[in-house]
Amino acid sequence: MIRNPFRTPPEVRLAPTLYAQAVDQARDAAFYQVMGVDDRIDARFELYTLHVLLLVMRLRDEGERGAEASQALFNVYVSALDDALRELGVGDLSVSKKMRKLGEALYGRMKTYETALRAGDEAALSEGLARNVFESDDPETGRALMRYVVDSRVRLAAQPYKTLSEGPDWAEVTA
C-alpha cells in the first residue's frame, strides 16, 4: 500500500491522545493519597514514564503499526519533557545536557520495568519501583504500585487496539 507522504499516519496521530491519557492517569490523586507517592516533580516523572511505558509495550504488541505508534508516543513524551524543562526556566544551552540526563534516566527506567514485566519478575519490578518512585531500598514499599502496574499491563493487553484511543483500561489505584 502506498502512503500519502503529506498525510500523517493514523498511528502517529494517536500518540498525543495516548500521551495525554497517560499523563491524566499518572496524575490520579490516588497515587499520592492512597499509595503514598510523594507529590514531587521527580516522582511525577516516574509515574509519567511508567504509564507511557505501559502504553508503549501495549502498542508494540500490535506488530508494525504498533511499533510506529509506540515510537510516536515516545517522541511526544520526549518532546513534552523538553517543553517542561524550558517552562521551568532551563536555558537553551543547558537543555541539551539536562535532556541527555533525563533520556538516560528514562531509558534506564523503561528497560528495568519492561524487562521485569516481560519476565514476570514481580520482585525486580517492586524493587525498581520502590527505588525510583519512592526512593526506598525496601522492595515492599513498591509492592502496591507493582500490583497496579502488573494489573494494568494485563488489562491493556486484553484491550482491543482500536479502543485504546477512547481510553486505556488502567487498573484501579489501591493500597
Side-chain angles (χ1 to χ4, degrees):
M1 177 170 85
I2 297 175
R3 288 192 180 196
N4 182 340
F6 302 107
R7 194 167 193 203
T8 305
E11 292 81 11
V12 174
R13 286 195 310 265
L14 178 66
T17 301
L18 287 177
Y19 175 71
Q21 291 167 335
V23 168
D24 285 346
Q25 183 64 16
R27 289 180 176 165
D28 185 332
F31 287 111
Y32 308 96
Q33 296 168 352
V34 175
M35 283 194 188
V37 174
D38 287 337
D39 192 8
R40 305 180 322 266
I41 194 165
D42 53 335
R44 281 180 265 147
F45 164 78
E46 298 294 345
L47 289 178
Y48 295 166
T49 299
L50 191 57
H51 286 88
V52 168
L53 171 66
L54 286 166
L55 289 175
V56 163
M57 289 176 68
R58 171 61 186 91
L59 292 169
R60 284 186 194 152
D61 293 342
E62 286 296 316
E64 189 177 324
R65 74 176 173 171
E68 190 172 356
S70 70
Q71 184 61 54
L73 173 58
F74 183 81
N75 293 346
V76 168
Y77 183 37
V78 170
S79 178
L81 289 174
D82 183 89
D83 292 345
L85 285 176
R86 292 175 190 283
E87 285 176 17
L88 289 170
V90 176
D92 287 340
L93 297 175
S94 301
V95 167
S96 65
K97 290 179 187 176
K98 299 258 187 207
M99 279 303 295
R100 185 176 332 115
K101 190 171 184 173
L102 271 175
E104 290 169 0
L106 178 63
Y107 177 76
R109 295 328 189 255
M110 291 180 112
K111 184 176 180 186
T112 297
Y113 300 151
E114 183 172 6
T115 300
L117 277 166
R118 293 206 186 273
D121 189 346
E122 292 182 355
L125 182 58
S126 186
E127 182 181 317
L129 292 168
R131 182 179 57 251
N132 296 322
V133 178
F134 297 98
E135 295 182 344
S136 172
D137 293 329
D138 180 9
E140 196 59 34
T141 307
R143 188 164 259 332
L145 184 55
M146 178 274 299
R147 180 66 20 228
Y148 165 82
V149 170
V150 170
D151 291 348
S152 288
R153 171 80 173 129
V154 168
R155 292 172 72 128
L156 290 168
Q159 185 176 15
Y161 178 81
K162 289 188 177 209
T163 63
L164 276 175
S165 65
E166 297 166 15
D169 187 16
W170 306 110
E172 185 179 347
V173 181
T174 58

